[in-house]
Amino acid sequence: MRRKVKNRNIVKPDFAHKSQKVGQLINYTMKDGKKNTAMKCVYGAFDIIKEKAQQDPLDVLDLALRNAGPTLEVRSRRIGGATYQVPREVRPERRQAMAYRWILLAARARKGVPMAEKLAEELIAASKNEGEAVKKKENTHKMAEANRAFAHFAW
């Protein structure tokens, strides 16, 4: 029996850029329901991107999400008393969610500067196929590649 597909919440576009992706980034950045603080961080990061990279921040965000999102991941599957790491393709919604999460985790891990700067630097790095978020994606792909012998256990 197939699982019922969950109706996804539709994120409202942000006011400044009229982009749904920016609205999602704000929601992922938000902690403890403090949306105004998250908006200041994201818009501050976009100003820094405009200044440093001399590119449209929306293009940088798009490219960063594409570069940081994995196409393969490993999922645990229990078969005959043993647990195997089975490589699976990632659904587009999950790919984007993981990209947002990894970019923000990498930005938060940087120390010594305000969050807007950290986020801007990580987005610029991810758009150039560098940075911690892209490293995490590559490690995930390596793990999936190493375990491709168990691909026949995919469900």
Side-chain angles (χ1 to χ4, degrees):
M1 185 169 100
R2 288 188 173 209
R3 292 183 187 166
K4 185 181 173 198
V5 177
K6 183 182 174 218
N7 294 331
R8 303 276 177 222
N9 290 339
I10 297 167
V11 177
K12 292 180 184 172
D14 74 307
F15 300 111
H17 298 279
K18 309 284 186 271
S19 167
Q20 213 170 6
K21 287 186 178 179
V22 178
Q24 278 182 315
L25 180 62
I26 289 168
N27 287 347
Y28 274 101
T29 309
M30 181 171 48
K31 278 192 165 183
D32 300 327
K34 297 189 175 222
K35 194 161 195 168
N36 216 18
T37 308
M39 287 169 76
K40 285 178 189 171
C41 284
V42 172
Y43 293 147
F46 279 11
D47 292 340
I48 293 167
I49 290 170
K50 268 187 206 168
E51 187 184 299
K52 277 188 178 179
Q54 270 99 38
Q55 290 178 309
D56 182 35
L58 293 177
D59 294 340
V60 172
L61 176 64
D62 265 349
L63 196 56
L65 289 174
R66 243 182 288 133
N67 290 344
T71 51
L72 287 172
E73 69 175 337
V74 288
R75 307 289 298 258
S76 294
R77 177 100 199 263
R78 190 170 165 80
I79 296 159
T83 306
Y84 297 100
Q85 296 282 311
V86 181
R88 302 279 298 154
E89 265 190 46
V90 182
R91 291 187 331 273
E93 313 93 56
R94 180 160 167 75
R95 180 179 304 142
Q96 195 171 24
M98 290 170 87
Y100 279 120
R101 193 177 312 136
W102 290 349
I103 287 170
L104 283 167
L105 279 172
R108 286 184 180 130
R110 293 176 182 231
K111 299 288 180 208
V113 287
M115 182 60 187
E117 270 184 58
K118 296 192 281 191
L119 182 58
E121 286 171 9
E122 192 57 40
L123 284 170
I124 291 169
S127 70
K128 293 177 182 174
N129 247 340
E130 301 166 358
E132 290 300 312
V134 176
K135 272 188 200 168
K136 190 151 176 108
K137 178 192 87 166
E138 288 168 358
N139 288 342
T140 304
H141 282 187
K142 280 180 193 169
M143 206 182 313
E145 194 64 31
N147 287 311
R148 83 167 175 244
F150 304 120
H152 63 284
F153 288 133
W155 59 99

